[in-house]
Amino acid sequence: MTTNALRQSILVVGGNGFLGSAVCRRALAKGMDVTSISSSGRPFTTPKGHSPAWVDKVQWKAASAFDPSSYAPLLENKTAVVHTLGILLEGGKYKSAIRNGDLIGLLSSFTGASGLGSRGNPLDKGANGVGEYEKMNRDSALRVFETYATSTPPSTDNHKTFIYVSAEDIFRPFVPRRYIDTKREAEREIARMCKENNASAASSPIRDVFVRPGLMYHPHLRPLTTPMATFLDLSSNLHHNPPFRLPIPLPSNILRSMTANSSKREPSTQLGAVEADAPAVEPSVLSSMANALEVPPMHVDTVADAIVTIIQSRPDVRGPVSVGGMREVVGWHGHGSKGQEHATAP
């Protein structure tokens, strides 16, 4: 029996957030039962405080990802869990600036972060060496995965899917390196635990998927992301479709040639697998800047569409899924543009 023939029931960690709410809405449109957990348990509202009609169809629950007892019963019989928690910058002020359209506040947040060095301020870590990046981007996902692994699988199918929202390495130097480091650490540890789980005859098989979007935008929910998305889309088109195919070095190639290890690049397979000993992030910030010029932005609804499609009808997909992989999953072939991408989203 295929997953498409089943009545899907999913749990979204952070379902009232930017991407989490898009996943909830798309999953409902596909006929799934949807539960969301967040620290507040409040339903999603738009920046203006409106509650869309679909909100009433989601079970909104208050729980802490770090306290399994607060959500373990909700994981029973779930066909999939989608972990969307994460922070781009430590401190949280940037999120309110984005929601409120506060450009000055947003620029201040990024300026402060980039001035701390490539790895961020070591004083932001606690006595045990764990800071907000480690807690939110890595440890929260590991706790949820561990709890999901011990939960009862769906009665109609013994298989489960865990989707972790990771990222492409495109934000340095404006974001400390610890952001992407903790994302990759979470991927490797989940892959290791998943391999151990699946090797045990007493455990239900789990499929691990790591979606890696670049910049996610929405012109209405996050209008401040639109100008940057427009620039990155133009840059990506330039790099993937050079004008007149002239034999001139592109900006990303120049940046890569300036790195100490210019011949290598962090693997970002479209649809692949990650091992516990996978290579670390490319150390040079120039590599990240080059990635930013090449990786196209994605409308948040397109990312959500890819996640739901992977759960519902693509059991063959596991491991890291790049922007190109997500586009392939939703049936969008070729490079295209932001306008074309938005047309594929609900």
Side-chain angles (χ1 to χ4, degrees):
M1 180 179 293
T2 64
T3 55
N4 201 33
L6 306 174
R7 174 67 175 180
Q8 301 278 322
S9 179
I10 71 170
L11 182 137
V12 182
V13 184
N16 58 0
F18 181 51
L19 175 57
S21 60
V23 172
C24 289
R25 181 168 61 86
R26 185 59 177 168
L28 288 171
K30 290 290 188 177
M32 297 181 178
D33 293 325
V34 182
T35 300
S36 163
I37 63 170
S38 62
S39 58
S40 68
R42 289 192 294 267
F44 167 78
T45 57
T46 67
K48 294 185 177 180
H50 300 150
S51 295
W54 61 264
V55 165
D56 294 335
K57 300 177 182 179
V58 177
Q59 296 185 57
W60 304 97
K61 302 291 184 179
S64 168
F66 303 101
D67 179 12
S69 65
S70 67
Y71 58 87
L74 301 175
L75 292 173
E76 298 298 306
N77 301 308
K78 290 292 184 290
T79 51
V81 169
V82 183
H83 183 280
T84 69
L85 291 185
I87 57 170
L88 189 61
L89 297 174
E90 292 182 304
K93 293 182 179 179
Y94 77 96
K95 288 190 175 182
S96 61
I98 292 177
R99 284 195 299 267
N100 299 328
D102 179 5
L103 179 59
I104 301 300
L106 183 62
L107 292 175
S108 176
S109 296
F110 278 100
T111 301
S114 62
L116 297 175
S118 63
R119 290 183 179 272
N121 191 343
L123 297 180
D124 288 339
K125 294 186 178 183
N128 59 353
V130 176
E132 285 188 80
Y133 279 128
E134 288 75 15
K135 289 177 60 178
M136 299 303 297
N137 293 352
R138 183 191 66 197
D139 296 347
S140 66
L142 301 184
R143 297 294 81 74
V144 175
F145 180 88
E146 289 171 343
T147 310
Y148 186 44
T150 62
S151 67
T152 304
S155 57
T156 52
D157 185 11
N158 196 41
H159 290 75
K160 298 184 286 189
T161 297
F162 186 89
I163 296 186
Y164 171 70
V165 178
S166 186
E168 291 278 11
D169 179 16
I170 68 166
F171 296 107
R172 294 184 288 152
F174 305 104
V175 171
R177 178 176 162 173
R178 279 174 48 228
Y179 166 75
I180 194 64
D181 277 345
T182 51
K183 291 285 190 179
R184 294 295 180 266
E185 288 167 6
E187 289 184 12
R188 290 193 293 270
E189 186 61 15
I190 291 171
R192 184 193 65 78
M193 293 191 295
C194 187
K195 186 176 182 179
E196 290 183 355
N197 174 86
N198 295 346
S200 172
S203 302
S204 302
I206 301 178
R207 174 173 57 132
D208 52 341
V209 179
F210 314 119
V211 294
R212 294 179 176 179
L215 176 70
M216 291 185 289
Y217 70 94
H218 193 294
H220 303 301
L221 297 180
R222 287 190 175 180
L224 288 183
T225 60
T226 302
M228 180 55 67
T230 300
F231 168 76
L232 293 179
D233 186 65
L234 290 172
S235 174
S236 180
N237 272 297
L238 170 66
H239 283 81
H240 288 275
N241 302 292
F244 310 113
R245 301 292 178 180
L246 296 177
I248 57 176
L250 295 171
S252 66
N253 300 132
I254 296 174
L255 288 171
R256 294 191 196 285
S257 69
M258 296 168 62
T259 66
N261 196 17
S262 60
S263 63
K264 294 183 179 180
R265 179 182 178 187
E266 182 200 13
S268 184
T269 56
Q270 292 196 2
L271 300 170
V274 62
E275 298 296 336
D277 59 350
V281 174
E282 165 63 48
S284 173
V285 69
L286 296 178
S287 176
S288 180
M289 295 170 66
N291 291 342
L293 295 175
E294 297 172 347
V295 176
M298 293 189 75
H299 193 288
V300 67
D301 287 344
T302 306
V303 179
D305 190 15
I307 289 172
V308 173
T309 300
I310 289 171
I311 294 171
Q312 190 172 56
S313 57
R314 290 296 301 271
D316 59 305
V317 175
R318 69 179 308 140
V321 182
S322 71
V323 169
M326 284 183 275
R327 289 179 167 193
E328 176 188 327
V329 164
V330 299
W332 183 25
H333 301 287
H335 188 67
S337 66
K338 285 201 304 113
Q340 289 173 307
E341 176 189 11
H342 183 47
T344 69

